Amino acid sequence: DPAGEVEGNEVLDYLCKQPATAHFIAMKLCRRFVSDTPPEALVQRVAATFLKTDGDIRSCLRTIFYSKEFLEPRYYQAKVKTPLEYVASALRVTECDLSQPEKVDQVLRLMGEPLYLCEPPTGYPDTAVSWVNSSALLDRLNFGLLLLSNRPNSPGTVDLLKLDPALRSGDDGEKILNCFFKVFLHGQASGHTQQVLDSKL
């Protein structure tokens, strides 16, 4: 029914012009790119951009990325990745040769974010409280160990020498650990993290 489609679009246009809609979308964007609890002042500015530009998301993102809040040290790396983001990042940074992609789905099921099976229409949670607990962190650790072990039940194989040709069989633990910091964390591991891991060598 063409008339029904027109009326539906009119309703959407009306909703998009409402301050409540702008604030809701602004909050979602700021929560995604800044912090689980983003500063309200930033949310308000993004909402104002949304209304001013008739809902242009690119402009809203520009407002976020050029804001002083986005660059504040307390928000740097404040977000915790969802299981899907974590697994995808691990596969990418290790340049994993993904020979058994079905194993990835098994891992995500174990972590609580199976592909395409979220029941609420709002999607999986996007805040750390939903993904950070002792069991979930252990699952992440075990996946990392599985991925680098190249065992038969791993999603694929990882060639560590390809990631850093300076590594050689028989290298000491400190050299290997420093390589991991460089390759996987771009040298951004905190002093405390380095100290704790060094003590385990």
Side-chain angles (χ1 to χ4, degrees):
D1 181 8
E5 181 178 349
V6 171
E7 290 176 357
N9 287 331
E10 289 175 350
V11 170
L12 292 176
D13 288 340
Y14 172 79
L15 291 175
C16 287
K17 290 180 170 60
Q18 301 308 302
T21 302
H23 188 275
F24 177 81
I25 293 177
M27 174 62 80
K28 294 286 285 185
L29 290 173
C30 291
R31 184 182 294 146
R32 175 67 181 85
F33 290 103
V34 181
S35 166
D36 287 356
T37 54
E40 181 60 24
L42 176 60
V43 175
Q44 293 288 356
R45 294 202 303 278
V46 175
T49 299
F50 183 90
L51 292 172
K52 179 181 177 182
T53 62
D54 291 327
D56 183 62
I57 298 300
R58 178 180 294 182
S59 297
C60 292
L61 292 177
R62 189 176 292 114
T63 299
I64 293 173
F65 298 150
Y66 284 96
S67 70
K68 64 181 186 298
E69 292 90 346
F70 182 74
L71 299 175
E72 284 186 21
R74 62 176 167 158
Y75 296 127
Y76 179 64
Q77 294 184 339
K79 291 291 297 181
V80 172
K81 294 182 178 182
T82 66
L84 177 60
E85 292 169 336
Y86 172 76
V87 170
S89 295
L91 295 174
R92 181 171 57 246
V93 74
T94 58
E95 299 182 18
C96 178
D97 180 8
L98 196 60
S99 57
Q100 302 187 88
E102 68 279 3
K103 300 291 185 183
V104 175
D105 182 59
Q106 295 175 13
V107 169
L108 291 173
R109 285 174 182 271
L110 181 65
M111 292 184 178
E113 194 180 11
L115 293 172
Y116 312 117
L117 292 178
C118 182
E119 294 181 4
T122 50
Y124 286 111
D126 58 357
T127 55
V129 68
S130 302
W131 305 115
V132 176
N133 55 63
S134 56
S135 176
L137 294 177
L138 183 60
D139 288 337
R140 293 183 182 220
L141 176 61
N142 286 336
F143 171 69
L145 293 173
L146 173 67
L147 185 63
L148 295 180
S149 70
N150 292 327
R151 293 199 297 265
N153 58 333
S154 176
T157 55
V158 175
D159 184 354
L160 291 177
L161 295 182
K162 179 181 176 183
L163 296 176
D164 191 338
L167 280 178
R168 291 291 181 270
S169 176
D171 282 340
D172 61 61
E174 184 177 359
K175 181 176 180 181
I176 294 174
L177 188 59
N178 288 332
C179 164
F180 275 41
F181 286 145
K182 180 181 73 173
V183 173
F184 299 139
L185 301 176
H186 302 290
Q188 298 184 51
S190 68
H192 176 69
T193 297
Q194 295 189 46
Q195 183 179 6
V196 169
L197 293 178
D198 283 340
S199 69
K200 305 298 182 182
L201 295 177

